[in-house]
Amino acid sequence: MTKEYKTINEISGPLIFVEKTEPVGFNELVEIRTDTGVVKRGQVLDTSDAIVVVQVFEGTGGLSKESSVRFTGDVIKMPLSPDIIGRVLSGSGQPKDGGPPIVPDVERDIGGAAINPSVRDKPRAFIQTGISTIDGTNTLVRGQKLPIFSGAGLPHNDIALQIARQAKTLGEAESFAVIFCAMGITNEEAQHFMRDFERTGALERAVVFLNLADDPAVERLLTPRLGLTTAEYLAFDLGMHVLVIYTDMTNYCESMRQMGAAREEVPGRRGYPGYMYTDLATNYERAGIIMGRAGSITQFPILTMPGDDITHPIPDLSGYITEGQMIVSRDLHRKGIYPPIDIRPSLSRLMNSGIGEGHTREDHRAVSDQLYAYYAEGCDLRGLVAIVGKEALSERDRLVLEFADAFEQKFVSQGRDEDRSIFETLDIGWNLLAELPETMLTRIDDHIIKQYHPKYRKE
Amino acid sequence: MEVGKVYRVAGPVVHATGLKSHMYDLVLVGEDGLMSEVIGISGDKHIIQVYEDTAGVRPGEPVKETGAALVAQLGPGILTSIYDGVQRPLPALAEASGDFISRGLFVDGIDHKKKWDFEPVVKKGDLVKPGQPVGTVQEQLLIKHKVMVPPNLKGGEVKEIYSGNFTVEETVCVLDDGTELPMIQYWPVRTARPSTVKMAPTIPLRTGQRVIDGFFSLAKGGTAAIPGGFGTGKTVMQQTLSKWSDVDIVVYVGCGERGNEMADLLHEFPELVDPRTDRPLMERSIVYANTSNMPVAAREASIYTGMTTAEYYRDMGYDVLLTADSTSRWAEAMRELSSRLEEMPGEEGYPAYLGARLADFYERSGRVTTLGGEEGSVSVVGAVSPPGGDFTEPVTQNTLRIVKVFWALDAKLTQRRHFPSINWLESYSLYDLDLEPWFVENISPDWNNNKRRAMAILQENAELEEIVMLVGSDALPEDQQLTLEVARMIINYWLAQSAFHPVDTFCPYEKQFDLLEAILGYREFAFEALGRGVPVDVINSAASKDALAKIRLLDDYKPELEKVMKQMADEFKVMS
Ligand SMILES: Nc1ncnc2c1ncn2[C@@H]1O[C@H](COP(=O)(O)OP(=O)(O)O)[C@@H](O)[C@H]1O
Ligand SMILES: [Mg+2]
């Protein structure tokens, strides 16, 4: 199967069309050599007796009809061994740190088979990130995929880094690793991450994949798959708890759109391919825990919402797959609040299984619900105040309005290195709620109020 | 059987030459024998959708015919199963290939080796018609499985009937024309199983959810859609309905959604007990889990395999609830396959037959007289996931044209953490009038009146809120301020219901009624007090009002409710 062909019939964008081949497998890895000896890699998208369509990861620049094409007879695989920890690789998996190539113990198909749903374990181990808006109101658990939806110029990277630094489970010390995949981000942003990883020593237990803004766009379609294949190896072969941060999914999706256009496919909503949901799912769903295996994969994808629009297909389809979303808000950022996480549209779908007695504290759910209810109501009232003025508010409404302001200042806002325990977070919540009359705490069971309300606790 | 050849592979679609198969026949593609279905025939080529990943498949590889359509295996052993979209039991796949799903595995939908204790219900010489039971098997502790003459056979006179332990493949009955009936039957999933009469939707399906049972009720055998953007509560609602609905059997189709959600359900269902029977919910459940990262073609099929099993239990005379989460992912699977077939796209790239397929699916619901003369039902609740939460998109619109109940999820309510986030102004149930007599007869003569009164208050509330947004609530006349307060009570103390509260997750009819009656009772007191000049602030600060908030969280709520109502009467007596 290593015959070389010089039968390229057409080159169009990132695609080449090859004729008169022996049977070639779908999704097979392809190597293309230019006249000058540069070797590029590609993947079969469509194969038939008549023609084979190949997408070229490093771009088709420099290719001509004279270039030779070799079909490897195998799908794309990632070489893996424990030595991969600490390495910096390119977006297509080649060493980028001057180190030797990875000598594989195993090689894995980067497509990644689906975890059989019946062997998945239920994620329920509370991860304390030290950030109140996450731990208190949108709790993260091990094995979850929780993206950050942000916008250009907002501090999502700082939040991701703070999480990577502070994330821990209460109690046990366990082996863990961070996988960082950059897709089309600027060199400066990448440096920001790398410096922080170096400063905190995180690099020693990280694997970094870098596809930067000036690297080929098609390569980006590989990057998360390489990262997640590595994550599965570390988690399910070596038993590590793996945190995967990948940024920016928006660039990844743009590459997908570009590929779709090159293939002249019928586009779905706003020009993105109809299979974008499925494609994203094959990445995001590679998070989780498997019964009887020690490790776990937790994902933190970051994406910037084009035009801050959450209904844009990229955040929209992501939100339909991930287990919640953290929304970084431009309004809060403008007010000078860090981390500017707006809890109202944010959500952690797996929160319930990771909180409460035995996980965090018995009052967690009730406190969170009550905080949500009055913060949301207070934000609504701000709109009203803008029209009718504070004077027109009832006494109750005035209290709710003040609560919302205090909530942003005391609960949401915290330092970039401030690592709050979950108990501190819940107590901040209680102190805010204690400013309201007790009869207003309608979402909290009486026995919980009696036990945790500051008024009763002081006695 | 012919063996053809792969001609072309593009994603989940394969073109093959040299086949004689019919449309929708099952074929096995490639060296690995990947399970596939013929979905088009064009010239000398068969167009095939493959239920498994096609990576590595080459032109020239064999394509084997099976001579049959995609069928579901029906017989004892379906309950408690967890299947992929083409009815392969996932635990068996895990046993065969490990924690990650690999390809080319064929596993029977039900165990062919297990022996079941078959008890005949007919005797030699009896005449049996299609759909009529010839015997029963105790499939679960409380669920009897009826072994029926398959609807596509003629029936006849019973020549032999056996009793004792048999596998599903062994003959348990022989008819006079020589037909041998085993317990198992095979049914093509895309074909509706027949029934005799479709009955009127006059019995409600009790869900234990106040906003649904009280306002937008579903009938047994009815259809409902629950559209909403991500995170608005579709899945939680479907799971809650699967837990507490008063049906005998639940078919939960996880169609292109999350793996962890399925894990959650699979961990929970065996532990939770059905309040009607005190048995684990899993015993009455069948789960299809074809998650978003599993092959799209199998996702497309999962809706049909799920429906076929639902109909099969209906045919035994059971009430079945089928929930599909999400029908949008099914429609997207259709779109993806259609675009690979290079069909003319309709609206937003969906195939032109989208509406027809949706209609065919929901049409398979209903409360019927079965061929065997029993009464059974399949009720269907479909989640819809509109892009950007915009209900004008094709899947939502086409669905609303068909289903009779619309539970509109509202992201604004979600943001306030008001659950279920079903918008009470937009939602509707077209079964409303058909069901009213049942509530009068079985719950209370006032059930429907209370409902209408509560809805009128909420309607007025919506209008008042618009004014409040302009002038503030203090500027309203006092009676309108009271209405706002009563509406707030209906919304927060009655419509809101946490799926995660151990007690409030399920609310029996009587409690639903009592709680609403209490709020409306408060309203009477309040307006009476206002009439005699008590200021609205004083009325609103009644302690008994706030005490009403927590009654719903109590299991044995009656004594507390009585106490609060008494307190209320006392408070208002002296109020001035
Ligand atoms: N009835 C409910 N009671 C309490 N919480 C709910 C309810 N419905 C939804 N939620 C909350 O909303 C989240 C998202 O709900 P989910 O059903 O997963 O949304 P969807 O399926 O529409 O994306 C859940 O994780 C839960 O926190
Ligand atoms: Mg859902």
Side-chain angles (χ1 to χ4, degrees):
Chain A
M1 283 312 293
T2 52
K3 217 164 135 185
E4 301 215 352
Y5 298 92
K6 290 208 165 188
T7 50
I8 296 180
N9 156 303
E10 189 187 331
I11 303 178
S12 157
L15 303 179
I16 59 174
F17 297 76
V18 190
E19 289 181 325
K20 303 193 199 86
T21 61
E22 274 164 21
V24 170
F26 177 69
N27 259 358
E28 212 170 88
L29 173 65
V30 185
E31 285 177 7
I32 308 116
R33 189 187 307 273
T34 68
D35 336 346
T36 57
V38 178
V39 177
K40 303 193 177 218
R41 305 197 306 162
Q43 185 175 24
V44 174
L45 291 184
D46 193 333
T47 172
S48 70
D49 289 346
I51 204 131
V52 177
V53 185
V54 178
Q55 70 175 355
V56 183
F57 293 119
E58 288 93 354
T60 47
L63 296 189
S64 70
K65 289 195 174 182
E66 308 310 314
S67 304
S68 67
V69 180
R70 193 175 73 87
F71 297 98
T72 62
D74 207 349
V75 295
I76 303 178
K77 293 198 163 153
M78 175 79 199
L80 295 163
S81 85
D83 297 336
I84 199 166
I85 298 171
R87 299 299 305 267
V88 180
L89 308 171
S90 74
S92 59
Q94 317 296 336
K96 218 180 170 172
D97 50 6
I102 291 143
V103 182
D105 282 357
V106 288
E107 295 197 311
R108 293 269 159 81
D109 174 357
I110 67 162
I115 299 178
N116 186 319
S118 71
V119 304
R120 275 185 184 270
D121 206 348
K122 184 175 163 170
R124 55 189 135 196
F126 166 64
I127 298 182
Q128 179 176 295
T129 67
I131 297 177
S132 293
T133 39
I134 300 177
D135 298 349
T137 45
N138 290 288
T139 317
L140 172 71
V141 297
R142 217 181 239 165
Q144 184 171 10
K145 41 192 182 292
L146 187 61
I148 299 180
F149 288 5
S150 187
L154 296 176
H156 42 268
N157 290 342
D158 290 341
I159 298 171
L161 280 168
Q162 189 170 359
I163 291 164
R165 276 197 310 270
Q166 297 180 171
K168 51 182 143 324
T169 44
L170 299 184
E172 347 114 71
E174 281 158 325
S175 75
F176 74 105
V178 175
I179 305 252
F180 177 68
C181 298
M183 294 165 287
I185 63 172
T186 62
N187 192 42
E188 199 185 312
E189 278 178 288
Q191 287 310 320
H192 185 56
F193 275 98
M194 296 303 290
R195 265 198 309 274
D196 201 82
F197 287 154
E198 273 164 31
R199 173 171 77 88
T200 58
L203 201 53
E204 284 159 36
R205 37 186 179 72
V207 187
V208 175
F209 294 84
L210 292 177
N211 165 287
L212 301 182
D214 53 356
D215 289 329
V218 191
E219 186 184 271
R220 264 159 232 167
L221 296 175
L222 287 182
T223 312
R225 293 189 164 79
L226 296 168
L228 291 163
T229 305
T230 309
E232 281 169 357
Y233 169 74
L234 297 179
F236 301 132
D237 288 43
L238 305 188
M240 305 176 85
H241 294 290
V242 185
L243 182 65
V244 184
I245 300 176
Y246 42 129
T247 180
D248 180 331
M249 275 317 262
T250 301
N251 297 332
Y252 173 86
C253 293
E254 291 306 339
S255 293
M256 211 188 314
R257 175 159 74 166
Q258 211 176 316
M259 282 305 309
R263 293 164 69 180
E264 295 175 5
E265 293 165 344
V266 181
R269 211 161 66 95
R270 300 210 211 165
Y272 293 89
Y275 50 79
M276 192 156 92
Y277 174 83
T278 305
D279 185 285
L280 286 171
T282 55
N283 290 308
Y284 293 143
E285 276 293 323
R286 293 170 85 173
I289 311 176
I290 295 178
M291 284 188 276
R293 301 209 192 203
S296 65
I297 299 179
T298 308
Q299 289 189 20
F300 253 112
I302 300 173
L303 61 86
T304 46
M305 299 182 276
D308 288 353
D309 176 10
I310 196 170
T311 70
H312 184 282
I314 297 171
D316 190 52
L317 293 179
S318 294
Y320 270 121
I321 304 163
T322 55
E323 278 126 10
Q325 65 281 334
M326 303 300 307
I327 307 283
V328 183
S329 144
R330 201 170 292 280
D331 281 348
L332 288 174
H333 183 59
R334 281 205 196 102
K335 283 193 195 167
I337 288 170
Y338 175 89
I341 294 174
D342 186 351
I343 64 161
R344 290 171 302 157
S346 298
L347 168 69
S348 165
R349 292 162 186 271
L350 302 185
M351 174 167 180
N352 277 315
S353 44
I355 64 170
E357 225 171 334
H359 300 278
T360 56
R361 211 167 70 185
E362 168 198 22
D363 56 329
H364 195 154
R365 163 56 55 201
V367 171
S368 169
D369 282 351
Q370 194 70 75
L371 291 171
Y372 253 105
Y374 285 125
Y375 179 58
E377 197 179 333
C379 290
D380 289 346
L381 285 170
R382 285 177 185 159
L384 178 60
V385 169
I387 302 171
V388 299
K390 256 192 188 164
E391 306 69 46
L393 292 187
S394 68
E395 176 58 23
R396 178 187 177 283
D397 287 356
R398 233 186 324 271
L399 284 172
V400 174
L401 188 69
E402 278 159 20
F403 170 86
D405 292 338
F407 180 80
E408 286 174 2
Q409 294 305 329
K410 301 208 171 108
F411 190 89
V412 180
S413 174
Q414 69 184 86
R416 280 179 163 71
D417 279 309
E418 188 180 347
D419 189 359
R420 292 181 186 158
S421 79
I422 178 63
F423 308 110
E424 288 173 64
T425 290
L426 290 174
D427 290 346
I428 295 172
W430 271 114
N431 289 335
L432 291 167
L433 293 172
E435 297 295 314
L436 302 171
E438 201 182 311
T439 49
M440 278 178 71
L441 306 184
T442 51
R443 298 206 182 201
I444 310 181
D445 276 356
D446 288 336
H447 78 273
I448 296 214
I449 294 186
K450 292 276 162 345
Q451 187 163 352
Y452 295 98
H453 195 294
K455 182 167 110 193
Y456 299 101
R457 272 209 278 175
K458 279 196 197 99
E459 290 161 14
Chain B
M1 292 294 117
E2 305 287 324
V3 176
K5 270 199 176 119
V6 173
Y7 171 78
R8 174 182 175 195
V9 190
V13 172
V14 162
H15 297 225
T17 54
L19 294 176
K20 292 226 165 59
S21 292
H22 301 112
M23 277 294 275
Y24 300 127
D25 273 2
L26 206 64
V27 295
L28 303 172
V29 166
E31 310 287 358
D32 286 341
L34 306 182
M35 236 175 128
S36 317
E37 185 180 16
V38 175
I39 53 168
I41 299 172
S42 157
D44 62 341
K45 300 205 179 62
H46 277 65
I47 302 161
I48 295 163
Q49 64 175 0
V50 185
Y51 296 132
E52 309 185 60
D53 183 16
T54 52
V57 176
R58 297 192 171 92
E61 288 191 36
V63 179
K64 295 194 196 79
E65 301 193 326
T66 67
L70 174 65
V71 290
Q73 300 194 355
L74 304 171
I78 298 180
L79 291 176
T80 76
S81 292
I82 308 151
Y83 293 122
D84 76 353
V86 288
Q87 212 209 359
R88 295 184 302 182
L90 288 168
L93 286 185
E95 222 161 87
S97 78
D99 295 341
F100 294 84
I101 298 178
S102 64
R103 305 185 302 177
L105 296 171
F106 182 83
V107 189
D108 285 311
I110 51 178
D111 191 337
H112 285 216
K113 296 214 182 69
K114 177 167 179 171
K115 294 212 179 227
W116 297 90
D117 189 6
F118 176 84
E119 242 180 84
V121 296
V122 292
K123 46 187 197 315
K124 243 191 220 177
D126 284 355
L127 276 179
V128 289
K129 294 181 305 181
Q132 195 179 323
V134 295
T136 61
V137 162
Q138 199 66 44
E139 187 177 357
Q140 294 292 334
L141 190 67
L142 297 179
I143 301 175
K144 256 201 172 62
H145 188 109
K146 295 187 181 142
V147 177
M148 301 165 287
V149 180
N152 51 349
L153 294 187
K154 277 203 329 284
E157 192 183 309
V158 176
K159 203 170 95 191
E160 296 292 345
I161 180 88
Y162 307 107
S163 104
N165 283 311
F166 299 96
T167 67
V168 294
E169 280 178 318
E170 287 168 326
T171 302
V172 292
C173 178
V174 185
L175 302 182
D176 55 350
D177 64 355
T179 309
E180 297 185 346
L181 299 179
M183 286 189 255
I184 193 171
Q185 39 178 290
Y186 297 85
W187 190 265
V189 298
R190 293 180 194 277
T191 308
R193 286 173 66 89
S195 58
T196 316
V197 189
K198 216 165 168 166
M199 286 182 281
T202 50
I203 304 172
L205 183 117
R206 190 206 59 205
T207 66
Q209 308 305 302
R210 288 183 291 268
V211 61
I212 292 179
D213 293 345
F215 275 7
F216 312 110
S217 184
L218 175 61
K220 289 230 168 96
T223 51
I226 177 158
F230 61 79
T232 50
K234 299 179 292 299
T235 302
V236 171
M237 183 51 80
Q238 300 237 5
Q239 296 197 353
T240 309
L241 298 182
S242 304
K243 287 175 193 166
W244 313 130
S245 292
D246 64 335
V247 291
D248 306 303
I249 306 288
V250 169
V251 180
Y252 189 98
V253 184
C255 173
E257 292 283 317
R258 300 178 182 86
N260 279 334
E261 262 165 21
M262 300 314 301
D264 189 32
L265 189 146
L266 295 177
H267 277 84
E268 219 179 13
F269 273 34
E271 313 221 310
L272 289 175
V273 292
D274 181 349
R276 302 189 312 154
T277 58
D278 256 351
R279 296 296 307 166
L281 284 172
M282 202 62 205
E283 288 184 0
R284 65 165 199 183
S285 306
I286 305 157
V287 177
Y288 286 86
N290 208 94
T291 54
S292 55
N293 57 337
M294 288 162 71
V296 279
R299 186 200 302 170
E300 193 273 335
S302 66
I303 290 283
Y304 298 102
T305 32
M307 180 54 93
T308 304
T309 38
E311 287 171 336
Y312 178 62
Y313 280 91
R314 172 205 68 192
D315 290 347
M316 296 176 206
Y318 288 123
D319 287 324
V320 184
L321 171 67
L322 180 142
T323 57
D325 187 16
S326 154
T327 60
S328 292
R329 305 302 164 218
W330 169 51
E332 283 166 11
M334 267 190 256
R335 175 170 71 182
E336 194 167 330
L337 293 162
S338 158
S339 101
R340 306 255 186 199
L341 295 177
E342 289 159 20
E343 291 173 339
M344 258 303 268
E347 220 184 328
E348 294 197 14
Y350 287 102
Y353 46 76
L354 171 70
R357 292 272 169 94
L358 282 166
D360 286 348
F361 165 66
Y362 282 106
E363 246 340 277
R364 289 172 75 170
S365 67
R367 189 161 67 91
V368 302
T369 307
T370 65
L371 296 184
E374 310 243 21
E375 194 182 310
S377 66
V378 175
S379 312
V380 181
V381 177
V384 185
S385 318
D390 174 5
F391 292 175
T392 62
E393 59 89 38
V395 181
T396 314
Q397 285 305 311
N398 277 294
T399 303
L400 290 185
R401 251 170 247 142
I402 307 157
V403 300
K404 299 287 193 295
V405 179
F406 173 39
W407 297 318
L409 293 173
D410 182 343
K412 280 208 215 71
L413 294 175
T414 310
Q415 290 207 359
R416 278 190 246 150
R417 294 303 190 259
H418 173 98
F419 292 117
S421 309
I422 294 179
N423 183 304
W424 46 87
L425 298 174
E426 262 180 77
S427 304
Y428 58 78
S429 165
L430 299 181
Y431 299 120
D432 235 11
L433 293 179
D434 288 325
L435 296 175
E436 286 194 349
W438 189 94
F439 284 108
V440 169
E441 257 163 58
N442 293 279
I443 313 293
S444 160
D446 285 330
W447 177 278
N448 302 306
N449 297 337
N450 284 1
K451 168 170 86 181
R452 276 192 280 269
R453 284 169 66 196
M455 279 188 154
I457 294 169
L458 293 174
Q459 186 66 47
E460 192 183 346
N461 175 64
E463 287 156 20
L464 294 177
E465 270 185 342
E466 282 179 23
I467 304 174
V468 170
M469 283 314 285
L470 297 174
V471 297
S473 55
D474 279 0
L476 289 184
E478 295 209 312
D479 61 331
Q480 295 188 343
Q481 289 187 39
L482 257 194
T483 300
L484 284 180
E485 192 55 31
V486 173
R488 176 140 61 187
M489 290 167 71
I490 297 174
I491 293 166
N492 293 335
Y493 305 168
W494 196 72
L495 289 174
Q497 188 175 358
S498 169
F500 302 109
H501 192 280
V503 173
D504 206 30
T505 177
F506 171 74
C507 187
Y509 278 142
E510 194 186 355
K511 185 171 172 189
Q512 302 188 19
F513 179 79
D514 290 346
L515 290 175
L516 187 57
E517 179 91 348
I519 297 171
L520 294 173
Y522 170 83
R523 182 177 179 278
E524 299 289 306
F525 280 123
F527 274 90
E528 186 270 332
L530 192 69
R532 60 183 151 84
V534 183
V536 76
D537 289 347
V538 176
I539 298 174
N540 278 345
S541 57
S544 53
K545 186 192 81 184
D546 293 316
L548 268 185
K550 290 175 183 169
I551 307 280
R552 65 198 161 131
L553 306 181
L554 303 173
D555 194 12
D556 180 22
Y557 68 98
K558 284 215 177 211
E560 185 65 21
L561 181 60
E562 251 166 57
K563 214 171 81 194
V564 172
M565 291 314 281
K566 171 139 195 323
Q567 183 193 352
M568 191 181 293
D570 294 345
E571 252 182 316
F572 275 98
K573 216 179 283 166
V574 299
M575 199 178 273
S576 57

